[in-house]
Amino acid sequence: MRVAALVIALMTMTSVVSAQVTKQSFGKTPDGKNVDIYTLKDGAIEAHIITYGGIIQALKVPDKNGKSADIVLGFDTLDEYVKGNKGYFGALIGRYGNRIAGGKFTLDGKTYSIPVNDGPDPNHPVNALHGGPKGFDKVVWDAKEIPHGVELTYVSPDGDQGFPGKLTAVVRYTLVGKDLKIDYSATTDKDTVLNLTNHSYFNLAGAGSGDILKNDVKINASHYTPVDANLIPTGEIASVAGTPFDFRKPTAVGARINDDNDQLKKGHGYDHNWVLDSTGKLAEAAEVYEPSSGRVLQVITDQPGVQFYTGNFLDGSITGKGGKVYGHRSGLCLETQHFPDSPNHPKFPSTELKPGQKYHWVTVFRFSAR
Ligand code: BGC
């Protein structure tokens, strides 16, 4: 009797104490670098992370009846990520999440240029998006297993995509219970700017199962940063009150997305930075509820902003995992980060990192069903 009780207690402890972590090969990049896939499993939740781009390749989460589905957009093979991940599915973004106007900023009196790769007319790019043409989403990270997860390291040389300083970025993915935690840290040897994030597209009904317009979204933010026609913040910190940007109470994504609103037109839907009320304290930034599955995603962070992007540029031209086509607005992103184009907006929270300082912050994706 006592032995049985002890065995049960130990089994319960191990399932609480540790996610199972396994590693397999995910292939080789065209230039011959090995890429691995780490599987983190705790109870019914599984996260698959690849060392190319630090990408969350799959995330399996049970619904209200215990039925599991993969709730992130992505691909089955490395080749597809290397050739066709135009939407940055699941990737770690660096050095600078979102846009830098004209790809230019000034730091300590010197102007830096990041190659431009984004703009309303794809043939004439005007902004640097997500760190330039070869950002952290397109490199192979060094990886090692850590308790409950995997630690990824990338050393970005001085001048990488035009950014100053040799930067060492360390990102830890861990899964404990219902929490997938992403822990970001970095150091530099010269003054630089930095804005890391993760670019997962969630569809809580299952990737490839339709659009996200009926998802209820709550964002704990009283303000957002309006944009110009190039999706660069104008600098204004505007109140969400009385606008389609007020998600302080859970509201269906589709309820106001087609309203006659200049900002929604500029974003082709929601593609904006919300200024979180939590002001840098670890707190819930957003919650998403998907009514048919009952799945709930809570996004918890200590970052000042979240880019809520409703997959407006998805148009059915991408076929993802299991041959499923990703149509218009078939995934939503909640990219916790600093504000877009901060290096050109002295009034926004600073994205500068200096030698001797440690960049460190976390985001937790917490899953449940109701
Ligand atoms: C941006 C979108 C962009 C998407 C994919 C988001 O972070 O805000 O404008 O289309 O990333 O690149």
Side-chain angles (χ1 to χ4, degrees), residues 20-357:
Q20 259 177 280
V21 180
T22 50
K23 173 178 114 170
Q24 278 183 299
S25 171
F26 197 64
K28 265 190 204 304
T29 59
D31 57 351
K33 292 202 180 86
N34 287 321
V35 174
D36 291 322
I37 182 160
Y38 282 78
T39 301
L40 284 42
K41 185 168 166 43
D42 195 345
I45 300 186
E46 249 182 60
H48 299 195
I49 315 289
I50 60 173
T51 56
Y52 177 81
I55 288 169
I56 303 180
Q57 186 267 340
L59 196 46
K60 296 183 183 168
V61 176
D63 68 6
K64 61 185 173 198
N65 301 313
K67 192 166 167 269
S68 186
D70 183 357
I71 58 153
V72 288
L73 274 50
F75 300 108
D76 288 317
T77 64
L78 178 61
D79 200 42
E80 289 164 289
Y81 279 109
V82 171
K83 288 188 186 142
N85 196 10
K86 295 191 187 76
Y88 301 81
F89 292 160
L92 290 179
I93 304 295
R95 290 189 188 190
Y96 201 92
N98 214 281
R99 294 174 173 82
I100 296 181
K104 288 206 179 350
F105 64 92
T106 303
L107 182 63
D108 304 331
K110 201 175 156 198
T111 299
Y112 293 91
S113 287
I114 315 304
V116 291
N117 58 340
D118 168 82
D121 174 358
N123 297 318
H124 296 99
V126 288
N127 307 309
L129 175 67
H130 298 331
K134 190 165 183 190
F136 289 6
D137 59 297
K138 294 181 189 69
V139 301
V140 178
W141 294 63
D142 291 330
K144 68 170 191 203
E145 188 181 325
I146 54 169
H148 318 296
V150 58
E151 178 182 286
L152 303 174
T153 302
Y154 183 64
V155 181
S156 165
D158 186 13
D160 191 4
Q161 300 294 293
F163 289 98
K166 175 179 163 195
L167 183 96
T168 304
V170 178
V171 177
R172 296 188 187 92
Y173 283 104
T174 50
L175 178 66
V176 175
K178 293 174 186 310
D179 286 3
L180 176 64
K181 180 173 168 189
I182 318 180
D183 180 296
Y184 300 84
S185 56
T187 51
T188 180
D189 70 355
K190 280 188 192 158
D191 290 5
T192 193
V193 296
L194 186 63
N195 190 28
L196 302 177
T197 190
N198 174 279
H199 207 303
S200 287
Y201 288 64
F202 295 97
N203 185 323
L204 297 184
S209 69
D211 67 48
I212 45 75
L213 296 175
K214 292 204 179 89
N215 290 197
D216 284 333
V217 166
K218 180 172 69 137
I219 305 176
N220 296 317
S222 313
H223 296 86
Y224 77 111
T225 50
V227 291
D228 67 15
N230 291 337
L231 290 179
I232 297 294
T234 59
E236 187 194 352
I237 307 274
S239 169
V240 296
T243 77
F245 292 81
D246 191 348
F247 280 94
R248 289 173 294 180
K249 292 201 183 95
T251 309
V253 175
R256 302 164 296 184
I257 201 166
N258 295 319
D259 280 11
D260 185 13
N261 173 284
D262 174 57
Q263 282 297 313
L264 284 172
K265 283 188 190 138
K266 290 198 164 102
H268 305 275
Y270 296 105
D271 190 357
H272 295 76
N273 166 69
W274 269 253
V275 178
L276 294 170
D277 289 341
S278 49
T279 58
K281 286 186 286 295
L282 188 67
E284 183 192 78
E287 186 187 87
V288 186
Y289 168 69
E290 197 286 309
S292 69
S293 64
R295 288 191 188 88
V296 178
L297 163 68
Q298 252 183 298
V299 180
I300 298 158
T301 192
D302 50 8
Q303 282 289 283
V306 64
Q307 182 82 10
F308 175 43
Y309 168 58
T310 44
N312 311 312
F313 296 117
L314 297 175
D315 59 3
S317 60
I318 298 176
T319 302
K321 288 177 275 189
K324 288 187 175 146
V325 171
Y326 296 146
H328 193 219
R329 299 183 174 146
S330 59
L332 61 83
C333 303
L334 287 158
E335 302 154 65
T336 48
Q337 57 191 5
H338 273 62
F339 308 172
D341 200 32
S342 296
N344 293 312
H345 292 275
K347 286 193 181 139
F348 288 177
S350 173
T351 49
E352 285 178 29
L353 182 70
K354 297 183 189 312
Q357 291 179 339

